[in-house]
């Protein structure tokens, strides 16, 4: 049984560190915008254990001409729960949240290794690949929700 709910930002840090910032200090897991009033942190729980997280920021990319945007950041699922549709379930809940809040576009910088996961959910690449220092190759991806 899984449950997705809004969580405090502090609960995202250990999963961000384990999945997205392996071997890096916990401070590397504090993202700009984490404390904004318009930022939401989501957690997916499996049998009361936090299995995955994601953050939703009210910010836009200038590459898309639409003001109704959210940026997805720091989406991560613990290794134990990978390949069990946990990430897909979390992403769908976040998409519903965006639609309920009248955000037409959901976008993010996706790691090269996650491209196929997002494509399966209808996301498209916009532009060319780019490097995020000390993290790796990324692509901007987006989906029109409304």
């Amino acid at each position: 049984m899984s449950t997705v709910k809004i969580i405090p930002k502090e609960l995202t840090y250990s999963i961000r560190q384990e999945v997205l910032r392996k071997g890096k200090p916990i401070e590397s897991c504090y993202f700009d915008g984490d404390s904004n009033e318009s930022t939401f942190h989501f957690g997916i729980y499996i049998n009361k254990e936090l299995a995955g997280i994601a953050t939703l920021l009210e910010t836009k990319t200038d590459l898309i001409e639409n003001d109704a945007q959210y940026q997805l950041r720091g989406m991560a699922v613990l290794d134990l729960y990978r390949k069990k549709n946990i990430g897909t379930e979390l992403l769908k809940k976040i998409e519903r949240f965006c639609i309920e809040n009248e955000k037409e576009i959901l976008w993010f910088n996706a790691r090269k290794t996650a491209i196929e996961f997002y494509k399966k959910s209808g996301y498209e690449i916009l532009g060319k690949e780019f490097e995020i220092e000390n993290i790796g190759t990324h692509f901007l991806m987006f989906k029109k929700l409304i």
Side-chain angles (χ1 to χ4, degrees), residues 16-139:
R16 284 178 183 172
Q17 186 178 35
E18 185 174 333
V19 178
L20 303 174
R21 302 285 194 268
K22 284 184 179 159
K24 294 186 171 52
I26 195 74
E27 293 80 19
S28 71
C29 301
Y30 306 160
F31 295 168
D32 289 341
D34 272 349
S35 297
N36 294 353
E37 275 188 38
S38 60
T39 296
F40 298 92
H41 304 279
F42 292 83
I44 185 163
Y45 288 82
I46 308 298
N47 298 323
K48 299 185 181 179
E49 182 178 345
L50 187 58
I53 50 96
T55 296
L56 204 53
L57 295 157
E58 190 171 30
T59 188
K60 59 182 256 112
T61 174
D62 293 334
L63 296 177
I64 300 171
E65 290 188 27
N66 185 314
D67 288 333
Q69 301 180 29
Y70 270 133
Q71 179 187 9
L72 182 68
R73 281 203 72 193
M75 184 161 161
V77 174
L78 293 172
D79 287 345
L80 176 65
Y81 298 104
R82 291 228 177 111
K83 309 279 187 211
K84 298 180 180 179
N85 292 318
I86 302 301
T88 301
E89 185 178 344
L90 179 58
L91 187 59
K92 286 182 186 210
K93 178 71 172 189
I94 290 168
E95 288 176 356
R96 282 193 300 273
F97 181 90
C98 291
I99 292 166
E100 289 166 5
N101 287 277
E102 299 179 351
K103 299 296 182 191
E104 295 179 34
I105 304 291
L106 181 59
W107 70 275
F108 46 85
N109 297 322
R111 291 171 187 245
K112 193 173 189 174
T113 56
I115 298 298
E116 291 309 312
F117 166 78
Y118 290 114
K119 280 185 173 180
K120 288 177 186 173
S121 291
Y123 288 84
E124 300 174 47
I125 292 174
L126 181 62
K128 297 182 180 183
E129 70 179 54
F130 59 94
E131 292 294 316
I132 295 180
E133 190 176 346
N134 299 318
I135 305 298
T137 304
H138 284 69
F139 291 85

